[in-house]
Amino acid sequence: MPKAPHTVEIIVNGRSFPVDKDDITFEEVVALAFDPPPTGDNICLTVTYRRAQGNKSGTLLPGESVKTKAGMIFDVTATDKS
Amino acid sequence: MSPPPTSPDQAINRLVADGYGITLEAGHLLVHDVPFATATRTVERGTLVCPLDQAGDVVLAPSNHVMHFAGGRPHDATGQALTKIEHQTTTQELIPGVTVERSFSSKPTDGGSQRRNYRDFHEKVTTYASILAGPAQSIDPQVSPLTFRDPHIVDSVHRYHDTASSRAEITALNAKLDDERIALIGLGGTNSYVLDLVAKTPVAEIHLFDGDEFSSHNAFRTPGAAPIEQLRSRPLKTAYLAAIYDQMHANIIEHPTAVTADSIDELTGLTFAFIAIDHGPSRRIIIDHLLANEIPFIDVGIGVHHDDHVIRGQIRTTLATTDNHDHIDHRIPCQDEGPDDDYATNIQLAELNALNATLAVIRWKQHRGIYAIDEPKPHHSVYVISGNEIINEGPAQ
């Protein structure tokens, strides 16, 4: 029997958000980081997560998703300055 | 009355005047054709090698008493090995083409039991040469280390020897880079720190590409401390930085324009590029040209924002090579404007530029086989400031 979804608090760019799904996608994380979300063909953002299931860290590409976990941390930026 | 003391700096000249066959190469002193006695009481010749201690081009007193040797195991006149001076038997290539197989350790005394350091390289070389050559001369009085061949000074791209590498015995390892012709595309904060690090390596050429002026705001994201007179004169970035690093590396070439479709051919023939520019669409042109010409590159970028009274952000380092570049479309920003351009000013801080540059240079040196790198080799890494964590991504297994 599938587990009922529960609400967890995740952090995106330092701000806390409640999420009641088991998975969250790249696009959903970006929408939490930027309101309104950026539009355009080649928008390329660097999305990372830490303290995921199994205390794992990683990156997300467009279309990818990761399992949500209470307290997991996302960072979303356009890393194009030098 | 004792003779006036000679300065340590004259040591090499005195060795040449005595007749020793000397080569100076890559921060090392080599003494050729030193005769020694073998176990079977024959005479052979070998080469003494040791790192030099220098201040610029001035030779200092030796910092240690160890001497390397290539050519065989020396003995005394009766065929006994010179165990009193034997130190280690490690075969290592100190300079490309110069492999030593052993080292000696002997400190001079002034007759008593009190040992001291060598006063200069003349004393260090003549002491070891006579320990080796003495037994050889008792077997064959004709032999001598004094061959009177001309001294040989090997050219380097650096204006003074890299004795940091010679002291650390990594000269031959670093020499893997001496065929590189590097492009620094963009000379903002990050690539000015990349230049600072790459100029200290023996790469053949360093090409600087940037059309902008060097202003006050740039000074706060560049290594060193720009003098106010320099800022007043409004130099181009290429000219300002080339003048500084030319003091150390003799082959820095200025291209005082941005890299565009018109100037893209200036990248042809280079062997590695560090891309550190702000303009997305230019990146696409540059990357396509580098891939078409099989030039590997590292692209870097910082993304930082300031809200809730604190700065947070990420620092990205992405490596692309001819056989591994499928990841770059999703990793390297090629758009016109990122969302941060609406939401925040262009925040960059010197330490973030420096960290991005350092990570990029380390990844380049890993790619060239100087630093170790574990499999699967990451081609993309992100430093997350608030987590103090580096997250790596590599090719799918």
Side-chain angles (χ1 to χ4, degrees):
Chain A
M1 185 169 124
K3 257 173 61 180
H6 55 293
T7 304
V8 294
E9 293 287 320
I10 65 168
I11 299 167
V12 181
N13 284 355
R15 295 200 170 111
S16 191
F17 296 92
V19 170
D20 60 2
K21 288 151 40 96
D22 287 342
D23 300 274
I24 187 164
T25 66
F26 171 95
E27 289 75 16
E28 287 166 334
V29 174
V30 170
L32 292 176
F34 299 111
D35 183 14
T39 54
D41 286 336
N42 289 317
I43 297 299
C44 184
L45 295 168
T46 300
V47 176
T48 60
Y49 59 83
R50 293 170 283 126
R51 302 193 199 163
Q53 303 274 351
N55 204 26
K56 284 201 162 64
S57 304
T59 67
L60 278 186
L61 292 177
E64 290 182 345
S65 64
V66 65
K67 283 196 176 349
T68 55
K69 183 185 175 195
M72 77 187 291
I73 303 174
F74 291 87
D75 279 81
V76 183
T77 56
T79 48
D80 58 357
K81 298 289 180 280
S82 57
Chain B
M1 192 168 113
S2 51
T6 44
S7 80
D9 186 40
Q10 292 307 305
I12 309 299
N13 292 339
R14 289 165 58 209
L15 287 170
V16 171
D18 287 352
Y20 290 93
I22 299 290
T23 293
L24 298 180
E25 180 174 359
H28 293 80
L29 170 62
L30 286 76
V31 185
H32 303 282
D33 302 317
V34 177
F36 65 95
T38 67
T40 52
R41 304 193 72 246
T42 60
V43 173
E44 290 181 2
R45 291 183 184 262
T47 310
L48 293 168
V49 186
C50 70
L52 278 173
D53 295 278
Q54 291 182 279
D57 54 356
V58 172
V59 179
L60 304 172
S63 59
N64 67 73
H65 52 278
V66 172
M67 178 67 80
H68 299 279
F69 191 66
R73 191 181 188 191
H75 298 73
D76 66 18
T78 71
Q80 301 292 309
L82 296 174
T83 50
K84 279 215 172 94
I85 65 164
E86 285 180 345
H87 181 226
Q88 288 177 339
T89 45
T90 314
T91 298
Q92 48 181 327
E93 190 184 29
L94 288 178
I95 310 168
V98 178
T99 300
V100 297
E101 79 268 355
R102 68 194 66 249
S103 59
F104 308 129
S105 165
S106 178
K107 277 187 160 185
T109 68
D110 290 320
S113 58
Q114 183 75 0
R115 300 233 164 225
R116 58 169 174 82
N117 291 320
Y118 289 106
R119 278 184 222 106
D120 52 44
F121 279 94
H122 181 270
E123 185 183 30
K124 186 175 183 183
V125 168
T126 54
T127 303
Y128 281 105
S130 67
I131 291 171
L132 267 56
Q137 281 162 335
S138 70
I139 295 166
D140 177 359
Q142 301 295 314
V143 300
S144 167
L146 306 179
T147 56
F148 288 94
R149 38 172 276 184
D150 287 334
H152 183 47
I153 300 177
V154 177
D155 281 336
S156 156
V157 289
H158 287 127
R159 301 215 184 264
Y160 43 94
H161 287 297
D162 174 9
T163 51
S165 293
S166 56
R167 285 160 73 120
E169 296 179 359
I170 56 172
T171 302
L173 186 59
N174 283 336
K176 287 182 180 185
L177 302 174
D178 65 11
D179 57 349
E180 286 270 39
R181 294 182 296 281
I182 303 284
L184 300 192
I185 302 173
L187 273 186
T190 303
N191 261 358
S192 68
Y193 282 96
V194 171
L195 172 59
D196 184 87
L197 297 170
V198 171
K200 295 171 171 64
T201 69
V203 295
E205 296 171 8
I206 306 173
H207 292 256
L208 311 179
F209 293 87
D210 196 303
D212 290 346
E213 267 182 20
F214 185 79
S215 301
S216 288
H217 66 274
N218 302 114
F220 285 85
R221 293 192 284 108
T222 300
I228 192 169
E229 299 82 13
Q230 292 255 288
L231 290 170
R232 285 184 189 132
S233 71
R234 302 181 62 181
L236 292 176
K237 285 180 178 173
T238 45
Y240 173 76
L241 290 169
I244 296 171
Y245 291 98
D246 181 78
Q247 296 177 111
M248 199 172 200
H249 192 292
N251 289 343
I252 297 179
I253 297 109
E254 300 164 51
H255 302 256
T257 64
V259 180
T260 62
D262 293 329
S263 61
I264 195 88
D265 287 325
E266 292 176 41
L267 293 175
T268 307
L270 304 183
T271 60
F272 197 91
F274 290 91
I275 305 176
I277 60 177
D278 288 0
H279 188 236
S282 297
R283 253 203 190 91
R284 190 74 255 175
I285 298 170
I286 292 165
I287 287 174
D288 288 342
H289 183 87
L290 292 173
L291 291 176
N293 286 275
E294 300 192 340
I295 301 171
F297 60 89
I298 286 177
D299 184 282
V300 293
I302 296 168
V304 152
H305 40 109
H306 172 211
D307 42 39
D308 304 329
H309 311 293
V310 82
I311 293 172
R312 63 183 70 242
Q314 306 184 98
I315 297 172
R316 175 186 58 80
T317 308
T318 311
L319 167 70
T321 61
T322 9
D323 27 82
N324 181 17
H325 59 265
D326 291 335
H327 55 284
I328 60 182
D329 281 342
H330 297 298
R331 300 294 188 189
I332 298 181
C334 292
Q335 70 268 22
D336 233 333
E337 271 188 5
D340 286 331
D341 293 335
D342 285 336
Y343 291 89
T345 51
N346 174 12
I347 303 173
Q348 294 184 56
L349 292 127
E351 56 273 14
L352 302 183
N353 291 120
L355 179 59
N356 209 177
T358 303
L359 292 171
V361 170
I362 291 174
R363 189 63 190 85
W364 163 62
K365 286 191 170 184
Q366 286 172 320
H367 175 67
R368 290 306 317 269
I370 296 195
Y371 286 116
I373 182 163
D374 301 329
E375 296 286 352
K377 298 179 187 140
H379 52 226
H380 182 76
S381 78
V382 182
Y383 172 79
V384 187
I385 295 171
S386 64
N388 196 35
E389 184 171 332
I390 296 177
I391 297 170
N392 295 299
E393 293 289 338
Q397 289 299 278

mmCIF file of all heavy atoms in Angstrom, chain B residues 240-261:
data_model
loop_
_atom_site.group_PDB
_atom_site.id
_atom_site.type_symbol
_atom_site.label_atom_id
_atom_site.label_comp_id
_atom_site.label_asym_id
_atom_site.label_seq_id
_atom_site.Cartn_x
_atom_site.Cartn_y
_atom_site.Cartn_z
ATOM 1 N N TYR B 240 47.582 45.760 -18.281
ATOM 2 C CA TYR B 240 47.873 45.845 -16.848
ATOM 3 C C TYR B 240 48.386 44.506 -16.325
ATOM 4 O O TYR B 240 49.412 44.424 -15.643
ATOM 5 C CB TYR B 240 46.612 46.276 -16.082
ATOM 6 C CG TYR B 240 46.793 46.218 -14.586
ATOM 7 C CD1 TYR B 240 47.531 47.190 -13.910
ATOM 8 C CD2 TYR B 240 46.273 45.162 -13.846
ATOM 9 C CE1 TYR B 240 47.735 47.112 -12.536
ATOM 10 C CE2 TYR B 240 46.472 45.078 -12.478
ATOM 11 C CZ TYR B 240 47.204 46.054 -11.831
ATOM 12 O OH TYR B 240 47.407 45.964 -10.477
ATOM 13 N N LEU B 241 47.674 43.424 -16.656
ATOM 14 C CA LEU B 241 48.045 42.112 -16.117
ATOM 15 C C LEU B 241 49.292 41.552 -16.792
ATOM 16 O O LEU B 241 50.142 40.958 -16.132
ATOM 17 C CB LEU B 241 46.873 41.144 -16.252
ATOM 18 C CG LEU B 241 45.709 41.458 -15.314
ATOM 19 C CD1 LEU B 241 44.477 40.632 -15.688
ATOM 20 C CD2 LEU B 241 46.079 41.174 -13.865
ATOM 21 N N ALA B 242 49.423 41.759 -18.107
ATOM 22 C CA ALA B 242 50.615 41.240 -18.783
ATOM 23 C C ALA B 242 51.876 41.870 -18.190
ATOM 24 O O ALA B 242 52.889 41.198 -18.003
ATOM 25 C CB ALA B 242 50.540 41.502 -20.283
ATOM 26 N N ALA B 243 51.818 43.161 -17.875
ATOM 27 C CA ALA B 243 53.011 43.825 -17.331
ATOM 28 C C ALA B 243 53.438 43.204 -16.007
ATOM 29 O O ALA B 243 54.627 43.047 -15.730
ATOM 30 C CB ALA B 243 52.732 45.322 -17.152
ATOM 31 N N ILE B 244 52.482 42.845 -15.184
ATOM 32 C CA ILE B 244 52.831 42.238 -13.894
ATOM 33 C C ILE B 244 53.412 40.851 -14.100
ATOM 34 O O ILE B 244 54.496 40.536 -13.595
ATOM 35 C CB ILE B 244 51.587 42.149 -12.986
ATOM 36 C CG1 ILE B 244 51.069 43.544 -12.648
ATOM 37 C CG2 ILE B 244 51.912 41.381 -11.704
ATOM 38 C CD1 ILE B 244 49.729 43.528 -11.937
ATOM 39 N N TYR B 245 52.713 39.999 -14.842
ATOM 40 C CA TYR B 245 53.125 38.592 -14.899
ATOM 41 C C TYR B 245 54.262 38.347 -15.875
ATOM 42 O O TYR B 245 54.938 37.333 -15.791
ATOM 43 C CB TYR B 245 51.898 37.695 -15.137
ATOM 44 C CG TYR B 245 51.035 37.724 -13.896
ATOM 45 C CD1 TYR B 245 49.933 38.562 -13.803
ATOM 46 C CD2 TYR B 245 51.415 36.992 -12.764
ATOM 47 C CE1 TYR B 245 49.199 38.656 -12.624
ATOM 48 C CE2 TYR B 245 50.697 37.081 -11.590
ATOM 49 C CZ TYR B 245 49.584 37.910 -11.525
ATOM 50 O OH TYR B 245 48.873 38.002 -10.357
ATOM 51 N N ASP B 246 54.537 39.322 -16.741
ATOM 52 C CA ASP B 246 55.714 39.237 -17.598
ATOM 53 C C ASP B 246 56.992 39.257 -16.770
ATOM 54 O O ASP B 246 58.056 38.819 -17.224
ATOM 55 C CB ASP B 246 55.708 40.403 -18.592
ATOM 56 C CG ASP B 246 56.883 40.361 -19.528
ATOM 57 O OD1 ASP B 246 56.841 39.562 -20.466
ATOM 58 O OD2 ASP B 246 57.857 41.107 -19.284
ATOM 59 N N GLN B 247 56.897 39.741 -15.530
ATOM 60 C CA GLN B 247 58.075 39.761 -14.670
ATOM 61 C C GLN B 247 58.498 38.343 -14.299
ATOM 62 O O GLN B 247 59.627 38.111 -13.865
ATOM 63 C CB GLN B 247 57.780 40.564 -13.390
ATOM 64 C CG GLN B 247 57.498 42.031 -13.685
ATOM 65 C CD GLN B 247 57.148 42.804 -12.428
ATOM 66 O OE1 GLN B 247 57.913 43.651 -11.988
ATOM 67 N NE2 GLN B 247 55.991 42.523 -11.859
ATOM 68 N N MET B 248 57.598 37.399 -14.459
ATOM 69 C CA MET B 248 57.882 36.025 -14.067
ATOM 70 C C MET B 248 57.888 35.073 -15.270
ATOM 71 O O MET B 248 58.735 34.201 -15.374
ATOM 72 C CB MET B 248 56.820 35.571 -13.076
ATOM 73 C CG MET B 248 57.206 34.379 -12.250
ATOM 74 S SD MET B 248 55.967 34.099 -10.991
ATOM 75 C CE MET B 248 56.890 33.110 -9.860
ATOM 76 N N HIS B 249 56.925 35.242 -16.196
ATOM 77 C CA HIS B 249 56.743 34.328 -17.332
ATOM 78 C C HIS B 249 56.955 35.120 -18.613
ATOM 79 O O HIS B 249 56.303 36.137 -18.850
ATOM 80 C CB HIS B 249 55.328 33.743 -17.288
ATOM 81 C CG HIS B 249 55.119 32.593 -18.223
ATOM 82 N ND1 HIS B 249 55.117 32.730 -19.588
ATOM 83 C CD2 HIS B 249 54.902 31.272 -17.985
ATOM 84 C CE1 HIS B 249 54.915 31.548 -20.151
ATOM 85 N NE2 HIS B 249 54.775 30.642 -19.195
ATOM 86 N N ALA B 250 57.890 34.646 -19.447
ATOM 87 C CA ALA B 250 58.325 35.450 -20.595
ATOM 88 C C ALA B 250 57.402 35.380 -21.802
ATOM 89 O O ALA B 250 57.595 36.134 -22.752
ATOM 90 C CB ALA B 250 59.734 35.012 -20.999
ATOM 91 N N ASN B 251 56.416 34.480 -21.803
ATOM 92 C CA ASN B 251 55.590 34.331 -23.011
ATOM 93 C C ASN B 251 54.116 34.613 -22.753
ATOM 94 O O ASN B 251 53.269 33.735 -22.909
ATOM 95 C CB ASN B 251 55.737 32.915 -23.574
ATOM 96 C CG ASN B 251 57.097 32.701 -24.194
ATOM 97 O OD1 ASN B 251 57.809 33.655 -24.495
ATOM 98 N ND2 ASN B 251 57.468 31.453 -24.379
ATOM 99 N N ILE B 252 53.807 35.848 -22.380
ATOM 100 C CA ILE B 252 52.417 36.253 -22.193
ATOM 101 C C ILE B 252 52.048 37.131 -23.373
ATOM 102 O O ILE B 252 52.700 38.143 -23.639
ATOM 103 C CB ILE B 252 52.236 36.996 -20.861
ATOM 104 C CG1 ILE B 252 52.577 36.035 -19.719
ATOM 105 C CG2 ILE B 252 50.805 37.515 -20.734
ATOM 106 C CD1 ILE B 252 52.475 36.629 -18.352
ATOM 107 N N ILE B 253 50.997 36.725 -24.089
ATOM 108 C CA ILE B 253 50.629 37.410 -25.331
ATOM 109 C C ILE B 253 49.271 38.085 -25.156
ATOM 110 O O ILE B 253 48.299 37.448 -24.754
ATOM 111 C CB ILE B 253 50.580 36.391 -26.494
ATOM 112 C CG1 ILE B 253 51.972 35.793 -26.702
ATOM 113 C CG2 ILE B 253 50.108 37.048 -27.781
ATOM 114 C CD1 ILE B 253 52.135 34.369 -26.292
ATOM 115 N N GLU B 254 49.221 39.383 -25.459
ATOM 116 C CA GLU B 254 47.996 40.158 -25.261
ATOM 117 C C GLU B 254 47.135 40.163 -26.520
ATOM 118 O O GLU B 254 47.631 40.428 -27.611
ATOM 119 C CB GLU B 254 48.336 41.607 -24.911
ATOM 120 C CG GLU B 254 49.157 41.765 -23.639
ATOM 121 C CD GLU B 254 49.790 43.133 -23.519
ATOM 122 O OE1 GLU B 254 49.075 44.139 -23.662
ATOM 123 O OE2 GLU B 254 51.011 43.184 -23.291
ATOM 124 N N HIS B 255 45.843 39.895 -26.345
ATOM 125 C CA HIS B 255 44.856 40.057 -27.415
ATOM 126 C C HIS B 255 43.806 41.009 -26.860
ATOM 127 O O HIS B 255 42.831 40.579 -26.243
ATOM 128 C CB HIS B 255 44.197 38.724 -27.770
ATOM 129 C CG HIS B 255 45.149 37.646 -28.202
ATOM 130 N ND1 HIS B 255 45.303 37.280 -29.521
ATOM 131 C CD2 HIS B 255 45.979 36.853 -27.488
ATOM 132 C CE1 HIS B 255 46.193 36.303 -29.592
ATOM 133 N NE2 HIS B 255 46.623 36.024 -28.385
ATOM 134 N N PRO B 256 43.974 42.327 -27.068
ATOM 135 C CA PRO B 256 43.085 43.278 -26.390
ATOM 136 C C PRO B 256 41.722 43.429 -27.063
ATOM 137 O O PRO B 256 41.278 44.525 -27.350
ATOM 138 C CB PRO B 256 43.884 44.581 -26.438
ATOM 139 C CG PRO B 256 44.787 44.440 -27.604
ATOM 140 C CD PRO B 256 45.090 42.987 -27.766
ATOM 141 N N THR B 257 41.074 42.293 -27.325
ATOM 142 C CA THR B 257 39.700 42.332 -27.833
ATOM 143 C C THR B 257 38.918 41.203 -27.178
ATOM 144 O O THR B 257 39.500 40.195 -26.786
ATOM 145 C CB THR B 257 39.637 42.082 -29.349
ATOM 146 O OG1 THR B 257 40.112 40.751 -29.598
ATOM 147 C CG2 THR B 257 40.453 43.059 -30.137
ATOM 148 N N ALA B 258 37.594 41.370 -27.100
ATOM 149 C CA ALA B 258 36.752 40.250 -26.689
ATOM 150 C C ALA B 258 36.805 39.207 -27.801
ATOM 151 O O ALA B 258 37.128 39.533 -28.949
ATOM 152 C CB ALA B 258 35.319 40.730 -26.490
ATOM 153 N N VAL B 259 36.519 37.968 -27.462
ATOM 154 C CA VAL B 259 36.482 36.932 -28.496
ATOM 155 C C VAL B 259 35.098 36.922 -29.129
ATOM 156 O O VAL B 259 34.102 36.654 -28.469
ATOM 157 C CB VAL B 259 36.805 35.545 -27.906
ATOM 158 C CG1 VAL B 259 36.761 34.493 -29.003
ATOM 159 C CG2 VAL B 259 38.182 35.549 -27.263
ATOM 160 N N THR B 260 35.031 37.285 -30.405
ATOM 161 C CA THR B 260 33.763 37.313 -31.135
ATOM 162 C C THR B 260 33.923 36.490 -32.403
ATOM 163 O O THR B 260 35.003 35.948 -32.672
ATOM 164 C CB THR B 260 33.418 38.756 -31.554
ATOM 165 O OG1 THR B 260 34.448 39.220 -32.429
ATOM 166 C CG2 THR B 260 33.325 39.673 -30.344
ATOM 167 N N ALA B 261 32.867 36.447 -33.201
ATOM 168 C CA ALA B 261 32.943 35.701 -34.458
ATOM 169 C C ALA B 261 34.093 36.217 -35.327
ATOM 170 O O ALA B 261 34.736 35.455 -36.041
ATOM 171 C CB ALA B 261 31.611 35.807 -35.193
#
